[in-house]
Amino acid sequence: RGGSLTMAVATVNLRAVTSWVGIARLFAIVLSCIAFSLVASTRDFGGPYGTWCMFTWCFCFAVTLLVVVLELLELYPKLPLSWDDFTSAFSMLAALMVFTTSVVFPSTFISSPCSGSKCVRQAVATTFSCLCFLAYALEVGLTRAKPGDISSFLSTVPGLLKVFEAYVACLIFSLLDAYSSEAGLQWCVAVYSICFIITLLIIIFTIGRCLTYIPCPLEKMLVGYNALALAMYLTATILWPLYSFRGKSRPNSCGRNCWWNKHLGITFLTIFNLIAYLVDLVYSTKMVFIRAPP
């Protein structure tokens, strides 16, 4: 078999490290390792934001390394999951996580003007983190399914959008530390929670090859869910800023953990997910009802 070296105990698939996808993964491994090593050397990554950044780099490094090893030794077929769906979902998730970290880390830990070896190492770590994001984005682009190919759902545009929608919902939850008991805001939290749970279940069931057991047309069910989620997020897009900022002004001393900034962030993230569900609905409808000519 071309590209493979047969050994006594295992088969080594060299394409796992020589293909464009494999090279992108190797770059992501090296870049994420350099990023968290540089930040660790500064001993300044305390607090929730620093912990998140270090977790992101370490998590992406470990899982990507595991993916490369499993493909190199051709052990992934033994796993009870859809490997293509798993790798597509992870590369999209890693790209989003590293992008967020590349924005959060410098804005939190790098002060201006930047001077001293500590600041230089933090700036270099940020640069490598940005390059790591590009490596994962390249992998997403290389593994994205071609138009008409639905063999791997999470590598299609609707599948990648599912990962995006779930991740944005997680960001919303991270900002929901305090909100009033008004019915409008409670409805918004219910919207975020319901849509997140259903989207996450779709991702898990797809990776676990469980969607085939659903006794109804899956594609049409996804179109119906996307339409419902779009309508729910439309109400949240209107109600969240209405009930959050009505009769309230921005505090004079509004720092990083100010409720105003967090609620404003939730407003924009809600709009992002609204757009994502709209695009998801359009693509899903096109895949189900508009068949390409043979």
Side-chain angles (χ1 to χ4, degrees):
R1 174 173 164 171
S4 298
L5 176 63
T6 304
M7 303 177 64
V9 293
T11 300
V12 178
N13 180 18
L14 297 180
R15 283 189 54 80
V17 292
T18 58
S19 64
W20 284 112
V21 174
I23 293 173
R25 288 171 179 165
L26 291 178
F27 270 105
I29 291 172
V30 173
L31 294 169
S32 59
C33 180
I34 295 175
F36 75 70
S37 298
L38 285 171
V39 174
S41 68
T42 65
R43 299 180 182 274
D44 182 19
F45 50 89
Y49 295 108
T51 302
W52 161 257
C53 294
M54 286 295 286
F55 168 77
T56 296
W57 293 318
C58 295
F59 171 74
C60 294
F61 166 80
V63 177
T64 307
L65 180 61
L66 178 63
V67 168
V68 171
V69 170
L70 290 175
E71 289 203 349
L72 186 65
L73 300 179
E74 292 194 335
L75 298 175
Y76 64 90
K78 303 180 185 299
L79 300 176
L81 51 80
S82 173
W83 183 253
D84 290 339
D85 284 311
F86 170 75
T87 53
S88 296
F90 169 72
S91 60
M92 182 65 177
L93 175 63
L96 294 170
M97 291 177 67
V98 175
F99 174 78
T100 306
T101 298
S102 300
V103 174
V104 170
F105 181 77
S107 62
T108 305
F109 291 94
I110 299 181
S111 57
S112 181
C114 182
S115 60
S117 62
K118 173 184 171 182
C119 185
V120 170
R121 280 178 285 175
Q122 291 174 330
V124 174
T126 302
T127 303
F128 279 105
S129 182
C130 293
L131 293 175
C132 185
F133 159 70
L134 293 178
Y136 281 118
L138 175 62
E139 181 183 350
V140 172
L142 291 172
T143 58
R144 187 173 69 88
K146 303 298 184 293
D149 181 13
I150 57 174
S151 58
S152 174
F153 171 69
L154 292 181
S155 64
T156 63
V157 172
L160 295 173
L161 284 172
K162 286 285 179 287
V163 180
F164 177 86
E165 293 153 4
Y167 181 75
V168 171
C170 289
L171 294 181
I172 291 175
F173 294 143
S174 69
L175 298 175
L176 276 175
D177 58 346
Y179 59 93
S180 66
S181 58
E182 294 189 65
L185 295 181
Q186 290 182 343
W187 163 253
C188 294
V189 175
V191 169
Y192 304 142
S193 302
I194 293 171
C195 293
F196 169 74
I197 292 172
I198 297 177
T199 301
L200 183 62
L201 287 176
I202 292 173
I203 295 172
I204 293 175
F205 286 171
T206 302
I207 295 175
R209 297 174 178 169
C210 300
L211 291 178
T212 54
Y213 299 105
I214 298 179
C216 58
L218 174 63
E219 295 82 1
K220 294 182 180 180
M221 183 191 73
L222 290 177
V223 171
Y225 164 66
N226 289 332
L228 177 62
L230 177 65
M232 294 174 68
Y233 259 91
L234 181 60
T235 62
T237 302
I238 298 172
L239 294 178
W240 179 264
L242 177 64
Y243 281 91
S244 293
F245 304 113
R246 184 178 56 183
K248 301 174 184 177
S249 58
R250 188 176 188 272
N252 294 326
S253 58
C254 195
R256 184 184 305 154
N257 295 317
C258 175
W259 68 267
W260 176 278
N261 292 340
K262 291 186 176 182
H263 285 203
L264 186 62
I266 293 173
T267 301
F268 280 104
L269 290 173
T270 303
I271 295 174
F272 292 159
N273 248 2
L274 175 69
I275 297 173
Y277 277 110
L278 174 61
V279 177
D280 196 352
L281 177 62
V282 171
Y283 268 90
S284 299
T285 304
K286 183 178 179 181
M287 290 174 61
V288 173
F289 298 106
I290 305 177
R291 300 291 183 182

